[in-house]
Amino acid sequence: MIKIRRNTLSFRIITRVLLITITLFIIILSVYYYQTRKIIIESTQANAIELAGNITGKIENVLQPIEKVPQMLSTSLEMGVFTRDSLILVLKTILNENPTIFGASIAFEPDYFPDKGRYFMPYVYRHGDTIKEIYLGDENYDYFYMDWYQIPTFFKEASWSEPYFDEGAGNVLMATYAVPFYCKKNRERHFAGIITVDLELEWLSGIVSEVEIYETGYTFLLSANGVAVTHPDKKQIMNKSIYSNAIEWNAPVMREIGRDLSKGVSRFRDYNIPGRQKQWIYYRNLQSNKWSIGVVYPDREIFAPLRNITTLLIVLFIAGLILLIVLTSGIINQLAAPLTLFSRTARTIAEGNFNATIPPVKTNDEMLELHQAFTHMQHQLAEYVENLKETTSAKEKIESELRIAREIQMAMIPHTFPPFPDLPQISLFARLKSAKEVGGDLYDFFILDKYKFCFAIGDVSGKGVPASLFMAVTRTLLRSISDKEKLASTIVGNLNKSLAFNNESNMFVTFFLGILDLETGWLHYSNAGHNPPVLISHEGKATMFETANAIPLGLFDDFNYTESKIRLSRGDMIFAYTDGVTEAENEKSELFGEEQMLRVLKNVDQPEPGILIEKMGAAIEEHVKGFLQSDDITMMTIKFNA
Amino acid sequence: MTKPILRLLFVLLICLITNVQAQDNKLVFSPHWMPQAQFAGYYIALDQGFYKEAGLDVEIIHPNASVNALNFLKEGKADIISLFLVTGLHAALNEVDLVNIAQISQHSAIMFVTKKSSGIDEPDKLRGKRIGVWKSGFKEVPMAMLNERQIDVEWVPILSSVNMFLLGGIDAMTVMWFNEYHQIYLCGIDENELNTFFMSDYGYDIPEDGLYVMRPTFAKRSDDLRAFVEATLRGWQFASENRDYTVNLVVEKMLKANIPTNKAHQQWMLDKVIETQQLNEKNLQAGKLLRSDFDKTLNILRLMEKNNDTIYFGDFYKPVMQPKTNQ
């Protein structure tokens, strides 16, 4: 089996085109079919009307001359042209001169001729090649009550009888035309009786059935009562009427047609009889009598040519559709072929080969535009990559410079531990872990004079190079100020003044400075807005330093910084830190926090500065779980051993 | 005499006896009209061999334009005929020595029909109108019905067609529910275009078809007649239960006799004729003539003939079937 790739361009285009084409075809075919059908119905109707007209004309051509015969005879009888005894001769003459007439009679009213009794009805009729005569009328042939006599007598007008089988003539189908006549008796005009002419109806079926309508179409003739006079199905003749068929065929439409005809309505219509094929019929009355003619067209046959051509059109369309699919897919594939090459090229370019050859396009269409766009893209990409290289190298240079800056920064803060091997009174450990290459945290410690140990920790606002520069300035100033001043608050105050001076960038630094008397254990400290350090007593209690509220350094040059003091005991430890510790964040934005920090500080088994900082570092690592460090983390621990 | 001759004589004797017996069981039946579903029960009884099973050799003949069934009976051409009760009783009153041996129909099917367009929607409006009635008879009941209401009309004798009525030559027509009424329908007049007046609705539910024989035949062949009536009722029963088959049989028979017809009409006739035979609270026994129906019919005829002729019920009605004791 052929696998159809649904995600190809040609599949999509072809399915859409097919959908439109099929829709259009269905619309066009429907319009064509219904219009043609309409035309066929109209032409069938015209044909049926003409056909029925022709047949009617032929029938009238026979009936009308026959009708004239008794009419003329009636005039002659009224004028008294013939004697009673010559009537047989007159009737014989009529038969001789009118070969279509089977029999003729003059039936007189009861007791018209007293000497002839109640009945007097001379009748002549054909018998083989001869013409026979007879006087009819007796108890068994009480003609006064027969339709042909009774009806024209009552209505006093000529009429055709319903057709009947004449037993005397050998069961021949006949109809009688009866004309009332009058005679003058005592100069008064009296109704005298009925003149009849009998007409064999065999010729009718000849006229009616000689017409061929397709294969199974036919015509039929009905009497005034709707009884079949001619019909291709001989069993229908005289037995069935359109109304009895309506019952037997369970087809009320037949009754509707019959009632139309009884009202003289002519119509062309279609009808269905259960279990039979649909048919079309035109029906109308004859002129002479109330008989009617029907012309039946089988629906299947009149629309056969239309059905055939429609089938042919559908077959051709399907063939055309297949051809269209094959050709269109070929054309589309041909047209879209460069796309595949373009996609391959795009992949090559994406792999970094900016010099890949763009597939050549010979056509001057969208493909050419694509080609140009590709070429443009190729150039732009090459240019961009070139720029990127330059930018990257510039960035690398900056990064290397920053690395150097960090090394310098780190070099500025003491990083040799233990820093004072010859001072057993204190042991100290500190660590600064920058968030970026260079940070704004600082710590420092140094010996002020023989027994005074100074330490400081700070955090410059902001980060990066400016912070690190500000930190460097702070550290440098700290050292230079502490050369002259020995009080914590003074050092801090002077430092503030120096930093605030010309501080255009409004940078500031939180700062904690402590001066520990190594002999007495008194610690004097001043805090400029920095996180208060933690005092871990030799008993293992960890408490925050109580510090006065003071603003960071560098903001207001005249701010008065105060100092506090506390006496340390042997084994007490100070844990100073920056907010990078308490505000260390994990990916859920949960802070490490003071509580956790204090918990770590309390639970250190061997309270040595290095170990404590290691543990704290580990606790922070565990908290952040590798989440990107956003701030410098600085910790410093001093243990008083004196 | 030698043995072979004796044997021959014996065989001849047997043949003679058998022949005589066959001769004796021969019955000629004539319905009172030409073949149609009105007489389906007889045709079925013959077709299905019910007569033969009853030991009868039945031949069915039909009257024609010149000879009626009563003539057949009088002339001995038929042993048994069917007649309307009025016709039978009329004949009896006119000294035809016949007897009713079974009353097949139990109800009247005679009616007047008018076109609604004529405006005649009650019997009173028939006054002075032209009413078609069969020339051949059956007018006694409709006449009695109108006489009782003192409605004078112009009776127009009609042979057999409904054309005078269709064309408006008469204002009303006396018809049989099972026959002419439906013929009118089959000429395209819808039932809702007609007004109907059933004699039975005006106190004249006079039963119609009955079986008649000459009194001597009754005296001599009552066993055969009983067998005939029983087989006939069996025929009707079969016809009632197998209507399609029956209609086809009737239509075939009519076409053979060159009588134009169709199934639609014969189906209608069969259905309606069977309806007229239905037993009800009035009469619970098939084939039975009720005294009340006899009296009413006699009364009609007396009024018609303007005399006081009479005949005893017991003399006229000689049922060949034993009344069922449980009914």
Side-chain angles (χ1 to χ4, degrees):
Chain A
M1 263 189 63
I2 300 166
K3 261 199 172 176
I4 296 169
R5 288 173 58 205
R6 287 168 185 278
N7 53 356
T8 59
L9 190 63
S10 58
F11 179 81
R12 288 206 196 127
I13 294 175
I14 288 170
T15 47
R16 281 160 183 73
V17 168
L18 278 191
L19 204 68
I20 295 165
T21 314
I22 291 171
T23 311
L24 277 177
F25 177 74
I26 290 171
I27 292 169
I28 292 169
L29 190 71
S30 305
V31 171
Y32 163 79
Y33 185 85
Y34 287 104
Q35 286 299 318
T36 312
R37 202 183 135 83
K38 205 175 139 200
I39 291 166
I40 290 176
I41 291 171
E42 283 166 1
S43 71
T44 306
Q45 179 174 11
N47 180 275
I49 292 173
E50 193 189 339
L51 192 62
N54 284 344
I55 296 170
T56 309
K58 282 183 191 171
I59 295 172
E60 297 293 351
N61 282 345
V62 177
L63 295 185
Q64 282 171 4
I66 287 174
E67 288 175 2
K68 292 219 172 69
V69 173
Q71 283 162 3
M72 284 164 67
L73 180 58
S74 132
T75 315
S76 308
L77 287 175
E78 189 168 348
M79 289 165 68
V81 176
F82 307 117
T83 64
R84 190 176 78 183
D85 297 331
S86 66
L87 291 180
I88 286 282
L89 197 62
V90 172
L91 292 173
K92 279 187 173 176
T93 313
I94 286 174
L95 256 64
N96 276 327
E97 288 176 5
N98 297 281
T100 49
I101 295 177
F102 174 83
S105 78
I106 305 170
F108 283 87
E109 278 280 272
D111 303 311
Y112 193 84
F113 300 111
D115 58 320
K116 291 287 180 185
R118 182 170 162 81
Y119 309 96
F120 186 69
M121 178 184 169
Y123 178 59
V124 299
Y125 61 99
R126 293 181 196 281
H127 185 81
D129 291 335
T130 61
I131 294 174
K132 293 210 167 182
E133 59 183 75
I134 188 174
Y135 286 92
L136 291 172
D138 57 37
E139 277 179 18
N140 290 326
Y141 192 79
D142 208 354
Y143 62 78
F144 310 116
Y145 304 105
M146 293 179 169
D147 276 356
W148 61 261
Y149 192 94
Q150 208 170 23
I151 291 170
T153 300
F154 179 78
F155 289 102
K156 297 291 185 291
E157 65 181 31
S159 71
W160 280 95
S161 74
E162 279 287 297
Y164 57 91
F165 278 119
D166 189 289
E167 281 182 46
N171 272 320
V172 175
L173 189 61
M174 290 227 207
T176 296
Y177 184 65
V179 178
F181 72 96
Y182 297 80
C183 285
K184 286 199 176 102
K185 250 187 184 177
N186 306 328
R187 294 189 179 176
E188 274 186 45
R189 190 171 184 257
H190 289 278
F191 172 68
I194 298 290
I195 302 167
T196 68
V197 286
D198 300 337
L199 187 65
E200 258 191 78
L201 297 179
E202 286 298 311
W203 57 275
L204 267 179
S205 83
I207 288 177
V208 176
S209 58
E210 74 186 4
V211 184
E212 278 187 14
I213 302 171
Y214 294 95
E215 275 180 38
T216 60
Y218 60 92
T219 55
F220 61 83
L221 199 66
L222 299 181
S223 77
N225 285 352
V227 176
V229 180
T230 74
H231 197 282
D233 176 7
K234 300 280 180 218
K235 283 181 197 162
Q236 291 267 330
I237 296 173
M238 288 306 290
N239 287 318
K240 313 259 183 166
S241 79
I242 196 161
Y243 304 109
S244 71
N245 284 338
I247 297 172
E248 288 178 21
W249 297 344
N250 191 22
V253 64
M254 302 310 289
R255 191 168 176 88
E256 280 170 35
I257 293 173
R259 283 175 63 85
D260 265 1
L261 285 169
S262 71
K263 291 172 199 151
V265 174
S266 63
R267 206 189 291 271
F268 181 73
R269 61 170 292 174
D270 57 339
Y271 67 96
N272 281 301
I273 294 172
R276 300 183 192 200
Q277 289 185 346
K278 183 180 173 183
Q279 295 189 308
W280 292 79
I281 185 172
Y282 173 73
Y283 48 84
R284 58 164 286 185
N285 285 119
L286 298 188
Q287 286 163 3
S288 297
N289 45 28
K290 286 186 171 175
W291 295 11
S292 47
I293 184 163
V295 190
V296 177
Y297 292 78
D299 182 88
R300 242 170 74 106
E301 289 168 29
I302 60 175
F303 293 114
L306 175 61
R307 229 176 6 255
N308 292 343
I309 198 158
T310 307
T311 313
L312 183 67
L313 280 177
I314 291 171
V315 169
L316 284 177
F317 174 73
I318 291 169
L321 218 53
I322 293 167
L323 197 66
L324 184 75
I325 293 169
V326 172
L327 288 180
T328 315
S329 68
I331 291 168
I332 293 169
N333 285 340
Q334 193 190 354
L335 288 177
L339 288 181
T340 319
L341 297 176
F342 277 126
S343 70
R344 251 180 242 151
T345 310
R347 221 167 263 136
T348 315
I349 291 172
E351 282 161 6
N353 181 6
F354 299 113
N355 297 323
T357 317
I358 308 285
V361 171
K362 288 167 191 166
T363 53
N364 184 18
D365 55 9
E366 288 86 343
M367 286 299 165
L368 185 64
E369 275 179 34
L370 189 63
H371 176 86
Q372 288 164 350
F374 253 79
T375 314
H376 181 68
M377 182 190 77
Q378 196 180 27
H379 291 154
Q380 291 293 313
L381 269 177
E383 212 170 286
Y384 173 74
V385 169
E386 195 56 37
N387 286 342
L388 195 64
K389 272 183 194 164
E390 283 172 18
T391 316
T392 310
S393 76
K395 198 179 163 196
E396 277 169 0
K397 194 177 165 194
I398 290 168
E399 277 172 359
S400 117
E401 282 170 0
L402 279 173
R403 205 162 44 245
I404 295 163
R406 176 179 156 77
E407 283 166 19
I408 293 169
Q409 187 193 12
M410 294 310 284
M412 286 172 76
I413 57 172
H415 52 272
T416 309
F417 299 102
F420 310 112
D422 51 342
L423 277 182
Q425 294 94 328
I426 50 167
S427 50
L428 184 149
F429 194 80
R431 177 190 286 173
L432 192 156
K433 191 179 170 197
S434 292
K436 292 190 176 175
E437 287 301 305
V438 286
D441 279 14
L442 78 151
Y443 68 86
D444 199 6
F445 51 83
F446 46 90
I447 302 296
L448 269 185
D449 54 37
K450 203 175 175 183
Y451 299 107
K452 296 276 171 67
F453 171 73
C454 177
F455 65 92
I457 188 163
D459 184 0
V460 178
S461 64
K463 295 176 181 85
V465 174
S468 72
L469 286 175
F470 202 75
M471 169 255 179
V473 170
T474 308
R475 194 263 175 192
T476 312
L477 285 171
L478 171 65
R479 286 287 178 117
S480 67
I481 291 166
S482 56
D483 274 350
K484 299 163 206 161
E485 303 296 337
K486 305 300 171 193
L487 287 175
S489 56
T490 316
I491 297 171
V492 169
N494 288 353
L495 191 55
N496 177 49
K497 280 195 182 75
S498 303
L499 287 173
F501 182 71
N502 281 345
N503 182 8
E504 300 295 331
S505 53
N506 278 326
M507 295 190 79
F508 59 87
V509 57
T510 64
F511 200 77
F512 179 91
L513 182 132
I515 296 172
L516 175 66
D517 188 321
L518 298 176
E519 284 184 329
T520 61
W522 280 103
L523 172 68
H524 293 257
Y525 59 91
S526 181
N527 189 359
H530 193 77
N531 303 50
V534 182
L535 176 64
I536 307 154
S537 73
H538 58 281
E539 295 155 339
K541 270 173 72 182
T543 48
M544 294 275 186
F545 270 69
E546 285 176 11
T547 57
N549 288 327
I551 59 169
L553 306 179
L555 293 174
F556 303 106
D557 57 357
D558 54 351
F559 190 83
N560 191 24
Y561 290 92
T562 58
E563 65 172 53
S564 310
K565 61 183 179 183
I566 182 171
R567 186 166 188 181
L568 300 184
S569 301
R570 179 189 172 87
D572 286 352
M573 281 201 299
I574 297 162
F575 176 73
Y577 58 96
T578 58
D579 57 4
V581 173
T582 51
E583 290 170 11
E585 258 181 2
N586 62 13
E587 59 182 3
K588 291 176 186 170
S589 297
E590 290 165 346
L591 301 180
F592 184 65
E594 286 179 352
E595 266 181 47
Q596 205 172 160
M597 180 183 75
L598 291 174
R599 206 179 308 133
V600 173
L601 294 174
K602 282 175 196 167
N603 294 334
V604 176
D605 294 338
Q606 294 168 301
E608 285 304 320
I611 294 167
L612 194 134
I613 283 177
E614 282 300 324
K615 295 254 174 179
M616 188 61 72
I620 292 168
E621 283 299 322
E622 196 185 331
H623 174 74
V624 301
K625 286 191 177 101
F627 191 64
L628 182 71
Q629 182 188 338
S630 63
D631 202 357
D632 291 351
I633 296 173
T634 306
M635 294 178 281
M636 179 165 67
T637 308
I638 301 149
K639 188 175 182 185
F640 183 60
N641 298 324
Chain B
M1 280 195 281
T2 58
K3 270 188 178 177
I5 293 170
L6 270 173
R7 269 185 198 164
L8 190 69
L9 277 175
F10 182 74
V11 169
L12 277 172
L13 193 69
I14 294 288
C15 286
L16 204 66
I17 290 167
T18 324
N19 200 25
V20 166
Q21 192 138 14
Q23 203 79 37
D24 273 353
N25 289 349
K26 166 108 184 170
L27 268 179
V28 179
F29 167 71
S30 169
H32 57 277
W33 197 245
M34 287 184 274
Q36 55 183 358
Q38 188 183 0
F39 313 116
Y42 309 103
Y43 306 141
I44 285 289
L46 191 63
D47 171 76
Q48 292 294 308
F50 297 161
Y51 290 134
K52 199 172 274 178
E53 281 175 33
L56 300 172
D57 175 17
V58 172
E59 185 194 348
I60 299 178
I61 59 172
H62 291 93
N64 54 45
S66 49
V67 190
N68 63 32
L70 191 57
N71 288 339
F72 281 154
L73 189 68
K74 284 194 280 191
E75 290 163 14
K77 286 179 183 163
D79 301 304
I80 181 163
I81 60 169
S82 79
L83 289 177
F84 268 29
L85 177 58
V86 267
T87 320
L89 192 53
H90 183 266
L93 289 170
N94 285 281
E95 297 177 25
V96 180
D97 196 15
L98 48 63
V99 292
N100 179 316
I101 57 165
Q103 185 59 40
I104 304 296
S105 141
Q106 297 296 342
H107 304 285
S108 163
I110 297 188
M111 61 197 283
F112 292 132
V113 63
T114 66
K115 286 181 185 163
K116 278 201 174 144
S117 56
S118 71
I120 302 169
D121 54 4
E122 53 177 340
D124 257 359
K125 292 189 182 167
L126 286 169
R127 203 179 303 278
K129 299 291 183 188
R130 286 163 58 81
I131 302 186
V133 68
W134 302 280
K135 184 176 170 291
S136 52
F138 315 136
K139 62 186 170 189
E140 297 86 352
V141 174
M143 278 180 168
M145 181 268 198
L146 291 183
N147 280 345
E148 187 191 38
R149 285 164 179 73
Q150 297 177 329
I151 298 166
D152 287 333
V153 299
E154 183 188 341
W155 294 101
V156 180
I158 303 279
L159 271 190
S160 63
S161 87
V162 294
N163 290 324
M164 273 292 269
F165 177 74
L166 294 175
L167 293 168
I170 47 179
D171 303 302
M173 186 163 173
T174 319
V175 298
M176 289 293 173
W177 172 229
F178 57 75
N179 191 3
E180 291 88 351
Y181 175 80
H182 194 247
Q183 281 179 22
I184 292 169
Y185 177 78
L186 284 184
C187 288
I189 312 290
D190 284 350
E191 293 194 76
N192 60 19
E193 292 172 315
L194 296 171
N195 284 326
T196 55
F197 308 92
F198 288 86
M199 295 304 125
S200 54
D201 290 342
Y202 296 92
Y204 288 88
D205 193 9
I206 304 295
E208 291 162 355
D209 294 14
L211 292 175
Y212 294 83
V213 297
M214 298 304 282
R215 198 175 299 275
T217 313
F218 170 72
K220 276 187 281 181
R221 304 185 63 184
S222 63
D223 284 349
D224 286 347
L225 296 176
R226 183 170 61 249
F228 179 83
V229 172
E230 280 170 355
T232 300
L233 291 177
R234 213 179 138 197
W236 276 114
Q237 187 61 32
F238 183 93
S240 168
E241 287 160 6
N242 302 277
R243 300 201 185 189
D244 281 347
Y245 176 83
T246 307
V247 168
N248 283 333
L249 181 75
V250 171
V251 168
E252 206 178 307
K253 199 169 180 65
M254 292 180 75
L255 293 181
K256 264 188 196 161
N258 281 320
I259 303 168
T261 193
N262 54 66
K263 280 187 195 174
H265 186 54
Q266 295 306 319
Q267 180 79 56
W268 170 275
M269 187 181 286
L270 180 66
D271 292 346
K272 302 306 165 196
V273 165
I274 288 170
E275 270 177 33
T276 67
Q277 297 175 0
Q278 292 309 303
L279 302 174
N280 58 11
E281 64 283 352
K282 178 179 127 180
N283 190 352
L284 294 170
Q285 190 182 331
K288 184 181 177 184
L289 172 63
L290 290 184
R291 176 79 193 236
S292 55
D293 285 339
F294 169 83
D295 288 343
K296 195 175 269 178
T297 312
L298 183 61
N299 209 30
I300 289 168
L301 286 170
R302 278 178 180 172
L303 282 169
M304 193 71 55
E305 305 288 332
K306 298 187 172 64
N307 62 27
N308 276 324
D309 291 355
T310 195
I311 186 167
Y312 294 110
F313 178 62
D315 275 350
F316 176 74
Y317 178 51
K318 295 285 187 188
V320 289
M321 299 222 305
Q322 296 305 312
K324 288 180 187 172
T325 47
N326 59 343
Q327 283 183 349

